Amino acid sequence: MKLPYKFYRNLFDFDHDKIAQNGHVDITLFDIKRSMLTVGQIPWNKGVPLEILKWKIKIIEAHINALESSVKIKNIKYLESTEKVTISFYIGMTFAQLISEKLYNIKHLYHLNSHNDERFEINKLAKSPDLIGINEKSLGAKPFLIEAKGSSISQKKFPYARVEAATKQLDSVNNIKFTHNNNIYFKKDINKLVIATHPLKSEELITQIIDPVGEGELDIVVNSDVSLLNYYFTIMSLIENSKEEPSIYVINDIEFQISYIKDLNLYIGLSKKIYTILHNSFIIRYYENYLSVDGIYMESIEVLNRYDEQIDFIQRTNTTDDFSIGKDGVLLFSNLKDINK
């Protein structure tokens, strides 16, 4: 199915409907579920509880209508206004993650949380953007700051006031430093995007992408190794704590460590090489609650970059809606026959 998007070069163009690019990304229902399970994770030391993950999956099943040619929202009229806020939040975050992966080749998005968060250092208290990531395949690497916005209200266009507020949060950042290479990226090198998703009057979901221009004062330091471990922590926890013995499956010459998660009625997998790189760090953090992560980011990125073409091929040739593989090496599917590719 297709998720359409419109790209605007700046806030003025968005306000005056001057579209720089129309397009779409191809996604499956399980792409949406996979994104829901990984986006915005914060560092819970024991992984997100199964009850919460089950609830997130049920949100998708209750409110997303996956058609052959489009993605539609459903059952919103049965919700109270405060309940709609929750759905809007997850629409914004989930589809921002998918757009980031499919359009900008970002393998990992980290949810910025400046309060007592070991993943980040931020030089002052202020509102920061939602998500941060980096495209490591680009020449010299490209850092991205993303403000994710969502709405469950059917409308012709995302509200200008909310997009304007989002651009101000993006504009608050002056520079970013990633600890895996100690490079400092200043505002001219940082890609800043508002990714706003909402249903049209037809209930079909559409995404608007706005590239704001501005300057800020926040300096952000991203601990690459800690951020990466926390990104995968819930997936690792599900595989490690599965009641069934994990299995190894090969898809397009990539080995995956796979477990059936009965409570979710899903198979969840992770590239075996990534699983092996993270395993010791995960065990130490999970059981002993301290960090031992040096070097895991670069090791993982080197593996994932080598897998890019293979994963792209699997995504392009997938013919079932009950299957998803991400550029982060995470696999999600409903039936073992779906992985015989």
Side-chain angles (χ1 to χ4, degrees):
M1 59 189 174
K2 302 182 186 304
L3 175 68
Y5 67 85
K6 297 179 180 180
F7 177 78
Y8 302 86
R9 297 190 188 281
N10 50 55
L11 188 60
F12 177 87
D13 285 358
F14 173 75
D15 189 30
H16 292 80
D17 211 29
K18 296 175 64 176
I19 302 167
Q21 182 182 356
N22 274 312
H24 72 268
V25 294
D26 292 313
I27 60 174
T28 68
L29 177 62
F30 269 48
D31 281 335
I32 302 171
K33 291 183 177 182
R34 173 176 57 81
S35 177
M36 185 70 134
L37 292 178
T38 56
V39 70
Q41 298 295 342
I42 55 178
W44 306 113
N45 291 349
K46 297 297 181 183
V48 178
L50 267 171
E51 293 89 346
I52 300 297
L53 298 178
K54 191 174 182 179
W55 171 69
K56 287 186 173 186
I57 293 295
K58 290 299 181 184
I59 287 177
I60 298 296
E61 293 173 349
H63 297 292
I64 296 296
N65 191 9
L67 304 176
E68 185 175 345
S69 59
S70 64
V71 191
K72 289 190 173 184
I73 200 164
K74 64 181 181 180
N75 296 331
I76 295 300
K77 66 181 180 181
Y78 301 106
L79 301 180
E80 299 287 351
S81 57
T82 49
E83 293 173 315
K84 291 177 183 177
V85 172
T86 300
I87 305 306
S88 296
F89 171 80
Y90 282 116
I91 287 173
M93 294 290 280
T94 301
F95 287 97
Q97 167 116 332
L98 286 173
I99 288 288
S100 301
E101 176 189 306
K102 303 281 187 178
L103 279 186
Y104 299 104
N105 201 34
I106 300 171
K107 293 177 173 63
H108 311 100
L109 277 182
Y110 311 129
H111 195 180
L112 276 169
N113 180 2
S114 59
H115 182 65
N116 295 328
D117 193 324
E118 62 197 343
R119 297 172 299 168
F120 311 111
E121 295 176 19
I122 302 179
N123 65 331
K124 59 174 65 178
L125 288 175
K127 278 196 169 184
S128 58
D130 288 326
L131 302 162
I132 189 167
I134 188 166
N135 178 347
E136 291 281 6
K137 289 291 284 186
S138 302
L139 185 62
K142 287 184 179 179
F144 282 78
L145 287 171
I146 293 169
E147 185 65 16
K149 294 297 178 188
S151 175
S152 58
I153 299 172
S154 295
Q155 52 203 319
K156 182 179 178 181
K157 194 175 178 181
F158 205 86
Y160 175 84
R162 292 188 62 195
V163 173
E164 182 182 34
T167 63
K168 290 179 180 178
Q169 285 182 247
L170 288 169
D171 289 343
S172 66
V173 177
N174 177 51
N175 67 63
I176 305 169
K177 176 182 176 182
F178 290 88
T179 59
H180 67 276
N181 58 14
N182 287 322
N183 286 349
I184 298 176
Y185 301 91
F186 291 95
K187 49 185 175 285
K188 67 180 178 64
D189 302 313
I190 301 171
N191 298 270
K192 299 179 180 182
L193 300 173
V194 179
I195 301 181
T197 305
H198 69 94
L200 298 168
K201 294 295 184 182
S202 63
E203 297 186 332
E204 181 180 350
L205 286 175
I206 187 170
T207 295
Q208 278 118 40
I209 307 167
I210 302 95
D211 187 0
V213 179
E215 299 182 3
E217 298 179 338
L218 290 184
D219 302 330
I220 300 173
V221 178
V222 180
N223 187 315
S224 306
D225 290 330
V226 177
S227 296
L228 189 85
L229 178 62
N230 285 330
Y231 177 90
Y232 286 109
F233 207 85
T234 292
I235 300 298
M236 292 285 292
S237 180
L238 286 171
I239 295 173
E240 282 288 317
N241 294 309
S242 172
K243 295 175 184 177
E244 297 191 12
E245 190 70 22
S247 303
I248 303 297
Y249 286 89
V250 179
I251 308 174
N252 198 24
D253 297 327
I254 304 175
E255 285 189 325
F256 289 90
Q257 185 99 359
I258 291 172
S259 290
Y260 177 66
I261 312 301
K262 185 176 180 180
D263 290 305
L264 302 180
N265 193 27
L266 294 171
Y267 288 89
I268 290 180
L270 181 61
S271 152
K272 189 173 187 300
K273 287 189 176 181
I274 299 299
Y275 180 89
T276 302
I277 291 167
L278 299 177
H279 189 258
N280 286 341
S281 297
F282 170 82
I283 293 298
I284 291 170
R285 183 60 185 267
Y286 190 89
Y287 292 104
E288 301 179 32
N289 197 25
Y290 73 89
L291 287 167
S292 176
V293 295
D294 287 349
I296 62 172
Y297 179 86
M298 283 306 302
E299 280 189 75
S300 299
I301 287 298
E302 286 171 5
V303 168
L304 292 172
N305 282 346
R306 290 199 299 271
Y307 285 161
D308 258 352
E309 289 186 9
Q310 291 158 282
I311 290 175
D312 283 343
F313 177 81
I314 297 170
Q315 290 177 336
R316 287 195 314 271
T317 57
N318 175 45
T319 57
T320 174
D321 207 37
D322 297 337
F323 176 92
S324 174
I325 184 172
K327 293 182 182 294
D328 55 5
V330 175
L331 188 67
L332 197 72
F333 59 97
S334 64
N335 197 309
L336 282 174
K337 68 180 178 61
D338 293 334
I339 68 169
N340 294 327
K341 295 182 179 295

